[in-house]
């Protein structure tokens, strides 16, 4: 019986060793996979820092560009505004001169029309006098 028990214990020991070896192999494989995944994640963690810095640098450069563009636009706006105001004043002055000229023309035309009417009346009167003298 001791021999049978010893054989049984040997078989159980062998089964335990086999099971242990399989479990150890599975655990070592899982551990190696976990180490590899960790290294990949570690690499990914370093890369985002670089990527974040690149994105930050790009953003800062873009902000600087937009600020320069804003200054340029503000300067162009000031120049354009000054130019337009100057042209407006010139056009306003020209319009006032045209109005003044038109008013003078209107007055001269009115005066000429009055003189013409008076001359016509004088002419009619002279014709009438001539007719009286002739007859």
């Amino acid at each position: 019986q001791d021999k049978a028990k010893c054989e049984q214990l040997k078989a159980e020991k062998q089964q335990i060793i086999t099971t242990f070896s399989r479990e150890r192999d599975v655990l070592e494989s899982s551990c190696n996979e976990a180490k590899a995944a960790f290294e990949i994640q570690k690499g990914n963690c370093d890369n985002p820092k670089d990527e974040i810095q690149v994105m930050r640098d790009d953003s800062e450069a873009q902000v600087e560009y937009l600020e320069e563009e804003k200054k340029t636009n503000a300067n162009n706006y000031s120049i354009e505004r000054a130019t337009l105001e100057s042209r407006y004043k010139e056009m306003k002055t020209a319009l006032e001169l045209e109005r003044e000229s038109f008013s003078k023309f209107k007055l001269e035309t009115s005066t000429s029309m009055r003189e013409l009417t008076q001359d016509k009346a004088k002419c009619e009167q002279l014709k009438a006098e001539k007719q009286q003298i002739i007859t």
Side-chain angles (χ1 to χ4, degrees), residues 85-129:
E85 284 178 351
S86 174
R87 286 179 59 202
Y88 170 75
K89 288 177 183 176
E90 288 172 7
M91 292 175 85
K92 188 176 177 183
T93 302
L95 179 63
E96 288 172 4
L97 290 173
E98 287 294 320
R99 281 185 180 157
E100 201 174 290
S101 175
F102 182 73
S103 293
K104 283 182 183 178
F105 175 75
K106 206 168 137 182
L107 180 64
E108 288 171 2
T109 303
S110 175
T111 304
S112 294
M113 289 298 287
R114 197 173 328 114
E115 288 173 355
L116 243 145
T117 305
Q118 289 172 353
D119 287 347
K120 189 177 179 184
K122 226 181 205 184
C123 187
E124 291 297 321
Q125 183 184 5
L126 288 172
K127 276 183 185 180
E129 288 177 7

Side-chain angles (χ1 to χ4, degrees), residues 33-119:
E33 288 174 13
K35 282 182 182 178
F38 173 77
E39 290 301 320
I40 290 171
Q41 289 297 329
K42 184 178 173 188
N44 288 342
C45 286
D46 290 339
N47 288 340
K49 288 178 184 175
D50 294 339
E51 289 177 27
I52 288 171
Q53 187 60 43
V54 167
M55 288 170 57
R56 183 176 290 139
D57 293 344
D58 287 347
S59 295
E60 288 174 0
Q62 197 171 20
V63 166
E64 287 176 18
Y65 170 78
L66 291 173
E67 286 176 348
E68 285 300 316
E69 193 173 305
K70 180 182 170 185
K71 286 179 188 175
T72 301
N73 288 341
N75 288 340
N76 288 345
Y77 172 77
S78 297
I79 292 167
E80 187 69 23
R81 181 177 176 188
T83 302
L84 288 173
E85 284 178 351
S86 174
R87 286 179 59 202
Y88 170 75
K89 288 177 183 176
E90 288 172 7
M91 292 175 85
K92 188 176 177 183
T93 302
L95 179 63
E96 288 172 4
L97 290 173
E98 287 294 320
R99 281 185 180 157
E100 201 174 290
S101 175
F102 182 73
S103 293
K104 283 182 183 178
F105 175 75
K106 206 168 137 182
L107 180 64
E108 288 171 2
T109 303
S110 175
T111 304
S112 294
M113 289 298 287
R114 197 173 328 114
E115 288 173 355
L116 243 145
T117 305
Q118 289 172 353
D119 287 347

